[in-house]
Amino acid sequence: MNTNYVIFDKISIGIFIIDSHYRVLFWNKVLESWTGISRKIIVGKDICGFFEKFQDEKIRSRLDSVFSFGAPVIFSSQLHKYTIPSRLPNGRYRLQQTMVTSIEDEKNKGIFHAIFSIQDVSDLTEKAIQYKHMNKQIEIKNRQLILTRERLIKSENNLQQMVDFTNDAVVIIQNNLFVYFNKAFVEMLKSDIQSLADLTFEDLQSEEFTINFATLTKMVHSGKIYKVQLDLTDQKNNTINVEAKFQKTTYKGKKAVLGIFMDISEKITLLKLLQKEESDNIKKGKLITICASCHHVKEFDGEKYTWVSIENYLSTISGKEISHGICNHCFKEKYPDYYEKYSQTHKSSHKSDDGSKKNKKNF
Amino acid sequence: MQISDREIEIFQEMINIGIGRAGATLNQILSTHIELNVPHISVLSLPDYLKQTKKENEIFSAVEMGFDGPFPGAAHLIFSNKSAAQLVSALVGDEVKNDEIDEIKSGTLSEIGNILLNSVMGSISNILQDHFNYSVVEYMEGTLKNLIERSFRETTLLIIAETNFYIQEMEIDGQIAILMTLKSFEIMEKAIGKII
């Protein structure tokens, strides 16, 4: 063995040298470690006796260019996996990138030997595979994201269509301006898109009752739905009574207020009519209005409405005196202990709650 | 510089022989059938070559093998990044992105380039009966100008062989470029003159 080759023991890659007869001239320490084959055993022997792949014509024809004219040869890990089979501690074969270069024989000019430099690329390949896998995962996630975004745009479009079809006026207000409004809103205000685009939220409200945008923003940003009745003014200066609901939203990535207006002008007119009719009926004595809670009666004294006790009212209209007693039902409910005692001592004629027995005494 | 038709024919012949051998070797080692074809050869100055390709800013993948001897130079196998990715994907069955530089792409292309360039240079060496010393094969990526200037600073002339790879019903275009100085080219012409 050429003693100059020993320098290859200092390099951390697998190196061996063969002549054109495939006889091993050198075998370095790294290869001893990888294969368990010592230099003493392999040097001087035909490498085909140790590794069958060197009998393969497709390897030999490549190596011919090294031996015949000294051109380098590469055996990549992608197309060959490995040149010298050796296992890693995890049992897998070591992936190898092999470069074969030529070295001219010291004594015989024009005779080339082949130096195999074998780099262990298992770790590198593993990392490349992991990187690719990671990239693929990112790609899948990106595709899902694009799909979700497309669906979101589609559903936003659908929602917009639905909003356009609804009878309620829907708006989005940002910085006091109507950045979005549906057809119903335009129709409600008897306006046009261009005019509305230039108006502020405050411009639309009648002078009597106004909520400014700052207050509105404060109300909705607490997170609750803010309900309020507003008087809006249409383009012909008519007042429109609306029931409005506001809540916070985002529009094109910025904070905004979503508003839904329901025109209640007709409802309010009807309510006013009913109130007038009720008032007229009370005046004419056709209707008695009794408080649902205290049972006081609404009375018109010729000038104004007052609430009087039912006793006073009945006494006034009937001209009779009024006295108080307690019925069996209330006695039993309000004073159960007295009722029990009373029932036992007065077992004479007594009317029951449902009136089924006739021989009980009434109070 | 005037290049005669006969000289072009000789280049074509030398490169075709090399390509033929490379094709045979590739079919031996690959599980996929591959066919190689060199439809056109031209000899150009570096500025003319860059002007002709019209791809000043495009990134290419190249495998380079330098040679020294009677006329020094460098041989390149050049692919557009898209073609390189297609070729590697077809050969190793692994999806490779156009803009991805990785060990799979560089390793595979280095070996393919090594087979092609060895065969072509072997053919030139055999026909001209000259011996060359070769440097190790290197994989590079960059613009054509960067690739050529980095590899062989004195380049004045290029022998460009358009190379088509037919693999899995796909045609993948590449180029074999032999970079030389004017002096090297004249020496080579003389060598060709001896065999005509």
Side-chain angles (χ1 to χ4, degrees), chain B residues 39 77-80 82-84 86 162-166 170-175:
Chain B
L77 176 64
I78 304 170
F79 293 103
S80 69
K82 188 184 168 194
S83 296
Q86 277 181 323
E162 303 293 341
T163 313
N164 300 330
F165 292 72
Y166 297 95
M170 272 195 301
E171 185 185 335
I172 299 165
D173 301 327
Q175 282 183 339

Side-chain angles (χ1 to χ4, degrees), chain A residues 250-309:
Chain A
T250 51
Y251 184 72
K252 294 186 176 171
K254 289 179 183 173
K255 281 182 181 176
V257 178
L258 171 73
I260 300 171
F261 300 107
M262 200 162 69
D263 188 346
I264 54 163
S265 303
E266 275 183 35
K267 192 174 147 187
I268 286 186
T269 312
L270 205 64
L271 204 65
K272 281 177 183 167
L273 273 173
L274 279 171
Q275 280 172 346
K276 190 175 178 299
E277 199 172 330
E278 183 201 13
S279 165
D280 289 349
N281 284 335
I282 291 169
K283 283 176 196 170
K284 289 173 190 168
K286 287 183 184 175
L287 182 76
I288 300 168
T289 304
I290 300 175
C291 170
S293 174
C294 69
H295 302 131
H296 274 37
V297 178
K298 198 175 183 181
E299 204 179 40
F300 189 67
D301 63 7
E303 286 181 6
K304 60 180 188 306
Y305 288 99
T306 51
W307 290 92
V308 296
S309 68

Side-chain angles (χ1 to χ4, degrees), chain A residues 198-239:
Chain A
D198 297 334
L199 286 178
T200 65
F201 170 62
E202 287 148 22
D203 288 339
L204 273 187
Q205 298 174 70
S206 68
E207 286 175 6
E208 290 165 19
F209 183 65
T210 307
I211 299 175
N212 64 35
F213 183 68
T215 311
L216 180 69
T217 310
K218 203 174 163 187
M219 298 303 288
V220 296
H221 281 189
S222 66
K224 288 178 184 165
I225 293 173
Y226 176 50
K227 290 180 189 175
V228 66
Q229 276 194 17
L230 290 175
D231 290 343
L232 304 183
T233 313
D234 72 10
Q235 213 171 23
K236 292 173 182 170
N237 266 337
N238 297 317
T239 301

Side-chain angles (χ1 to χ4, degrees), chain A residues 21-198:
Chain A
H21 303 293
Y22 288 76
R23 195 166 50 104
V24 179
L25 302 178
F26 177 74
W27 188 256
N28 84 341
K29 294 273 184 198
V30 170
L31 285 175
E32 283 187 335
S33 159
W34 284 0
T35 60
I37 301 169
S38 75
R39 183 182 295 164
K40 278 182 188 167
I41 291 172
I42 199 166
V43 167
K45 308 246 174 64
D46 186 345
I47 197 162
C48 305
F50 294 86
F51 306 105
E52 275 182 11
K53 72 186 302 179
F54 287 94
Q55 289 174 344
D56 192 338
E57 190 46 38
K58 63 187 178 193
I59 300 291
R60 292 179 89 97
S61 65
R62 299 278 309 276
L63 291 174
D64 277 354
S65 64
V66 180
F67 294 126
S68 54
F69 58 95
V73 165
I74 289 175
F75 295 112
S76 68
S77 63
Q78 290 74 34
L79 301 181
H80 302 272
K81 305 282 182 214
Y82 47 81
T83 307
I84 298 293
S86 77
R87 287 189 192 270
L88 289 160
N90 63 13
R92 287 186 188 165
Y93 278 106
R94 202 180 297 273
L95 295 172
Q96 298 165 359
Q97 185 78 14
T98 305
M99 171 75 79
V100 191
T101 48
S102 62
I103 183 168
E104 202 165 17
D105 190 275
E106 277 183 325
K107 292 169 190 167
N108 306 301
K109 221 173 160 33
I111 300 290
F112 292 102
H113 304 316
I115 305 179
F116 288 70
S117 317
I118 308 169
Q119 195 187 348
D120 180 351
V121 291
S122 311
D123 196 36
L124 198 66
T125 309
E126 185 69 27
K127 284 208 168 80
I129 291 166
Q130 279 174 1
Y131 170 76
K132 270 179 169 295
H133 179 72
M134 212 165 68
N135 263 356
K136 213 168 239 177
Q137 292 297 317
I138 292 170
E139 221 171 80
I140 291 167
K141 291 256 185 276
N142 276 346
R143 251 184 258 144
Q144 284 172 342
L145 201 68
I146 289 167
L147 208 68
T148 310
R149 204 171 290 156
E150 281 172 357
R151 281 183 190 150
L152 191 68
I153 290 168
K154 203 176 164 188
S155 79
E156 270 177 3
N157 289 340
N158 287 344
L159 187 68
Q160 188 146 338
Q161 278 179 356
M162 277 165 64
V163 166
D164 275 341
F165 273 110
T166 181
N167 290 329
D168 291 339
V170 180
V171 298
I172 293 172
I173 313 162
Q174 219 168 36
N175 299 326
N176 205 12
L177 291 170
F178 294 95
V179 288
Y180 170 79
F181 41 82
N182 67 350
K183 283 177 191 167
F185 186 66
V186 180
E187 283 164 12
M188 188 175 80
L189 295 171
K190 297 177 183 69
S191 186
D192 57 81
I193 293 170
Q194 189 52 49
S195 312
L196 286 173
D198 297 334

Side-chain angles (χ1 to χ4, degrees), chain B residues 129-145:
Chain B
Q129 292 178 338
D130 279 321
H131 175 74
F132 298 95
N133 296 316
Y134 300 97
S135 62
V136 291
V137 169
E138 198 183 343
Y139 174 81
M140 308 181 290
E141 288 196 6
T143 61
L144 285 173
K145 192 169 186 288

Side-chain angles (χ1 to χ4, degrees), chain A residues 62 72 74 76 80 139, chain B residues 95 97 100 103 111 114 118:
Chain A
R62 299 278 309 276
I74 289 175
S76 68
H80 302 272
E139 221 171 80
Chain B
E95 195 188 338
K97 299 273 171 57
E100 213 169 56
E103 197 247 339
E111 182 160 358
N114 172 238
N118 269 5

Side-chain angles (χ1 to χ4, degrees), chain B residues 89-151:
Chain B
S89 295
L91 294 178
V92 298
D94 200 345
E95 195 188 338
V96 179
K97 299 273 171 57
N98 294 353
D99 54 354
E100 213 169 56
I101 307 173
D102 68 22
E103 197 247 339
I104 295 169
K105 190 171 159 187
S106 64
T108 312
L109 283 179
S110 293
E111 182 160 358
I112 301 297
N114 172 238
I115 291 167
L116 251 85
L117 299 177
N118 269 5
S119 301
V120 169
M121 289 311 296
S123 165
I124 293 172
S125 171
N126 276 345
I127 291 170
L128 301 182
Q129 292 178 338
D130 279 321
H131 175 74
F132 298 95
N133 296 316
Y134 300 97
S135 62
V136 291
V137 169
E138 198 183 343
Y139 174 81
M140 308 181 290
E141 288 196 6
T143 61
L144 285 173
K145 192 169 186 288
N146 287 344
L147 290 174
I148 289 165
E149 284 180 351
R150 187 185 138 189
S151 149

